[in-house]
Amino acid sequence: MGDKIFFNSMRVLRKNLDPLIHARVRLGIVSALAAGETLSFRDLKILLSTSDGNLSRHTQKLEKAGYIECIKSFQGRMPHTEYRLTPKGNEALLAYIEQMEHMLQVARSVTADQNNFSN
Amino acid sequence: MRIEYGPVQSRKESPQNQASEHLRYIRDVMERSASFTAVPGWGMVTVGVTALLASWIASLQSTPDGTLLIWFIEAVVAVTIAIWTLRRKARKCGVSLTSGPGRKYILTLAPSMVAGLLFTVALWQAGNQDLLATLWLLFYGAGTITGGTSSVRIIPVLGICFMMMGILSLFLPPVWMHLLLALSFGGLHIGFGLYIARKYGG
């Protein structure tokens, strides 16, 4: 019974998670940009060990949502793309971390209750 | 909307494990990202300035041994400045120099540096000092290219520039050695260092 309540509450918490950040590559992009000031497409590709196509797809989604900002320029004749985290993206990451910490707290308190009950 | 699950692929894992795995992933990426950009731009500028000074003092030496001694002192000074500024910037970014890309950078750069040092000793003992500038430029360039693969793009570019200077030195008479070393260890470090300091915050 306790397990059922626990998993239901976890399901509710998970439903509230931002689906844009919850994906692995997108979470990686946002986290990497939160630590570095600006990172180029190539830098992100190395950091996250992902392919060009995959990274491009996910950066587009984040850009569309206003979480990251894309700065296009030329280095000589070569096009150069750089990304920066927007305040909205930073807020979304902080909210996501808070939600994860909250999930951990709930899980810990339920485990502690279960241990107390079994003792 | 299709949700791709993050760092934890298995949905059978407990929510507690999933949440802690996600937090660990965020921390790990942030740490790697910070050390990825923890290249000390101002440190490179300082190394460049000391290299300019060293090449000027070395050009005033009357014997090859005197020149070599000046560059040896410069190498020790440069390594000390590099380690100190690298540690300082890594600390500022909240990352450890001995973990992740920082460690990878040092481990990939070190073999070229050690090989360069050994070859310098061998050439010096053989009395063939004309090739020293070429040797230093090529070994340092090669080390910077391999070390830079785990860092920002500009670092391997710096390595390529050093290698190009090394190749150029093969076609120039030995009297150009001081100028070449001043342009590369001095000029390139100052130029790239200023770019890095402006772009990656210090």
Side-chain angles (χ1 to χ4, degrees):
Chain A
M1 186 67 181
D3 278 356
K4 206 175 173 185
I5 295 168
F6 169 64
F7 278 104
N8 280 340
S9 58
M10 281 295 163
R11 199 173 296 145
V12 172
L13 282 172
R14 259 206 305 240
K15 259 188 179 176
N16 292 332
L17 287 174
D18 185 345
L20 268 165
I21 286 196
H22 198 49
R24 181 187 173 86
V25 177
R26 292 199 289 272
L27 181 61
I29 295 167
V30 172
S31 306
L33 292 174
E37 292 193 8
T38 55
L39 289 170
S40 71
F41 189 85
R42 178 252 181 200
D43 296 342
L44 281 172
K45 207 179 101 176
I46 294 173
L47 268 172
L48 304 173
S49 310
T50 187
S51 66
D52 282 11
N54 197 26
L55 184 62
S56 171
R57 197 161 54 92
H58 289 297
T59 48
Q60 272 173 17
K61 278 186 184 173
L62 289 170
E63 208 189 327
K64 220 173 178 180
Y67 284 9
I68 62 170
E69 190 185 346
C70 175
I71 309 144
K72 286 187 192 287
S73 61
F74 278 88
Q75 280 188 350
R77 285 183 183 179
M78 296 288 283
H80 186 67
T81 310
E82 284 198 317
Y83 296 97
R84 187 185 294 152
L85 193 68
T86 62
K88 190 182 173 187
N90 197 37
E91 267 174 37
L93 179 66
L94 289 176
Y96 184 82
I97 293 170
E98 253 176 49
Q99 282 169 317
M100 282 293 149
E101 279 170 350
H102 183 57
M103 273 175 84
L104 262 181
Q105 271 177 358
V106 171
R108 275 181 195 143
S109 63
V110 169
T111 314
D113 285 349
Q114 279 174 343
N115 287 343
N116 287 340
F117 185 72
S118 60
N119 288 336
Chain B
M1 185 178 198
R2 185 173 153 263
I3 299 173
E4 295 160 290
Y5 281 84
V8 178
Q9 299 300 321
S10 166
R11 293 188 193 192
K12 283 178 186 167
E13 241 186 300
S14 73
Q16 188 175 349
N17 285 351
Q18 283 192 24
S20 55
E21 193 60 42
H22 277 74
L23 288 172
R24 203 176 305 134
Y25 177 69
I26 293 169
R27 197 168 41 240
D28 176 54
V29 173
M30 286 180 88
E31 193 180 273
R32 274 188 289 143
S33 172
S35 47
F36 192 75
T37 55
V39 189
W42 290 118
M44 279 172 75
V45 173
T46 316
V47 166
V49 171
T50 59
L52 281 181
L53 206 68
S55 63
W56 175 64
I57 299 169
S59 69
L60 302 175
Q61 302 302 307
S62 53
T63 61
D65 287 359
T67 305
L68 191 64
L69 179 69
I70 297 299
W71 279 109
F72 179 74
I73 294 168
E74 163 57 17
V76 174
V77 170
V79 169
T80 311
I81 292 170
I83 292 174
W84 182 66
T85 51
L86 204 59
R87 279 186 67 178
R88 204 164 145 246
K89 188 157 180 187
R91 208 177 300 140
K92 188 181 147 194
C93 297
V95 290
S96 162
L97 193 63
T98 51
S99 70
R103 188 178 60 183
K104 206 173 161 189
Y105 179 75
I106 293 165
L107 287 178
T108 45
L109 181 68
S112 293
M113 298 295 102
V114 174
L117 181 71
L118 293 174
F119 262 96
T120 302
V121 174
L123 284 178
W124 177 67
Q125 280 180 338
N128 186 358
Q129 293 172 353
D130 291 351
L131 279 173
L132 280 181
T134 309
L135 177 94
W136 294 341
L137 291 167
L138 289 178
F139 271 91
Y140 185 72
T144 309
I145 292 171
T146 51
T149 51
S150 58
S151 189
V152 286
R153 190 183 211 161
I154 196 76
I155 300 299
V157 176
L158 173 69
I160 291 168
C161 290
F162 267 97
M163 290 207 79
M164 282 165 72
M165 295 293 263
I167 293 164
L168 181 71
S169 71
L170 284 169
F171 303 100
L172 293 173
V175 285
W176 285 67
M177 175 187 168
H178 298 298
L179 182 67
L180 265 179
L181 291 176
L183 280 174
S184 44
F185 286 106
L188 288 176
H189 274 141
I190 291 172
F192 279 76
L194 285 172
Y195 176 82
I196 289 166
R198 192 176 61 87
K199 201 163 160 59
Y200 298 104

